[in-house]
Coordinates of all heavy atoms in Angstrom, one line a residue:
Chain B
K75 N 32.9 32.7 -10.6 CA 33.6 33.5 -9.6 C 33.6 35.0 -9.8 O 34.0 35.8 -9.0 CB 35.1 33.0 -9.4 CG 35.3 31.6 -9.4 CD 34.7 30.9 -8.2 CE 35.3 29.5 -8.1 NZ 35.2 28.7 -9.3
Q76 N 33.2 35.4 -11.0 CA 33.2 36.8 -11.3 C 32.2 37.5 -10.4 O 32.4 38.6 -10.0 CB 32.8 37.0 -12.8 CG 33.6 36.3 -13.8 CD 35.1 36.5 -13.6 OE1 35.8 35.7 -13.1 NE2 35.5 37.7 -14.0
R77 N 31.1 36.8 -10.2 CA 30.0 37.4 -9.4 C 30.3 37.3 -7.9 O 30.6 36.2 -7.4 CB 28.7 36.7 -9.7 CG 28.3 36.8 -11.2 CD 27.0 36.1 -11.5 NE 25.9 36.7 -10.9 CZ 25.3 36.3 -9.8 NH1 25.7 35.2 -9.2 NH2 24.2 36.9 -9.2
R78 N 30.3 38.4 -7.2 CA 30.8 38.5 -5.8 C 29.9 37.6 -4.9 O 30.4 37.0 -4.0 CB 30.7 39.9 -5.4 CG 32.0 40.4 -4.7 CD 31.9 41.9 -4.3 NE 32.0 42.8 -5.5 CZ 33.1 43.1 -6.1 NH1 34.3 42.7 -5.6 NH2 33.2 43.9 -7.1
E79 N 28.6 37.7 -5.1 CA 27.6 37.0 -4.2 C 27.3 35.6 -4.5 O 26.5 35.0 -3.9 CB 26.3 37.8 -4.2 CG 26.4 39.3 -4.2 CD 26.4 39.8 -2.8 OE1 27.5 40.0 -2.2 OE2 25.3 40.1 -2.3
S80 N 28.1 35.0 -5.5 CA 27.8 33.7 -6.0 C 27.6 32.6 -4.9 O 26.6 31.9 -4.8 CB 28.8 33.2 -7.0 OG 28.6 33.8 -8.2
F81 N 28.6 32.5 -4.0 CA 28.5 31.5 -3.0 C 27.3 31.6 -2.1 O 26.6 30.6 -1.8 CB 29.9 31.5 -2.2 CG 31.0 30.8 -3.0 CD1 31.7 31.5 -3.9 CD2 31.3 29.5 -2.7 CE1 32.7 30.9 -4.6 CE2 32.3 28.8 -3.4 CZ 33.0 29.5 -4.4
E82 N 27.1 32.8 -1.6 CA 26.0 33.0 -0.7 C 24.6 32.7 -1.3 O 23.8 32.0 -0.8 CB 26.0 34.5 -0.2 CG 26.2 34.6 1.3 CD 26.1 36.1 1.7 OE1 25.0 36.7 1.7 OE2 27.1 36.6 2.1
D83 N 24.5 33.2 -2.6 CA 23.2 32.9 -3.3 C 23.0 31.4 -3.5 O 21.9 30.9 -3.3 CB 23.3 33.6 -4.7 CG 23.2 35.1 -4.6 OD1 23.0 35.6 -3.5 OD2 23.4 35.8 -5.6
F84 N 24.1 30.8 -3.9 CA 24.0 29.4 -4.2 C 23.7 28.6 -2.9 O 22.8 27.8 -2.9 CB 25.4 28.9 -4.7 CG 25.4 27.4 -5.1 CD1 24.8 27.0 -6.3 CD2 25.9 26.5 -4.3 CE1 24.7 25.6 -6.7 CE2 25.9 25.1 -4.7 CZ 25.3 24.7 -5.8
N85 N 24.4 28.9 -1.8 CA 24.1 28.2 -0.5 C 22.6 28.3 -0.1 O 22.0 27.3 0.2 CB 25.0 28.8 0.6 CG 26.4 28.5 0.4 OD1 26.8 27.7 -0.5 ND2 27.3 29.0 1.3
K86 N 22.1 29.5 -0.2 CA 20.7 29.8 0.2 C 19.8 29.0 -0.7 O 18.8 28.4 -0.2 CB 20.4 31.3 0.1 CG 20.9 32.1 1.3 CD 20.5 33.6 1.1 CE 21.1 34.4 2.2 NZ 21.2 35.9 1.8
A87 N 20.0 29.0 -1.9 CA 19.1 28.3 -2.9 C 19.2 26.8 -2.6 O 18.1 26.1 -2.6 CB 19.5 28.6 -4.3
I88 N 20.3 26.2 -2.4 CA 20.5 24.8 -2.2 C 19.8 24.3 -1.0 O 19.2 23.2 -1.0 CB 22.0 24.4 -2.2 CG1 22.6 24.5 -3.5 CG2 22.2 23.1 -1.5 CD1 22.1 23.5 -4.5
I89 N 19.9 25.1 0.1 CA 19.3 24.7 1.4 C 17.8 24.5 1.2 O 17.2 23.6 1.9 CB 19.6 25.7 2.5 CG1 21.1 25.5 2.8 CG2 18.8 25.5 3.7 CD1 21.7 26.7 3.7

Side-chain angles (χ1 to χ4, degrees):
Chain B
K75 312 298 193 308
Q76 305 308 106
R77 302 179 65 259
R78 230 177 286 279
E79 317 267 89
S80 279
F81 282 81
E82 242 182 70
D83 291 353
F84 183 77
N85 292 354
K86 278 183 192 160
I88 284 298
I89 288 168

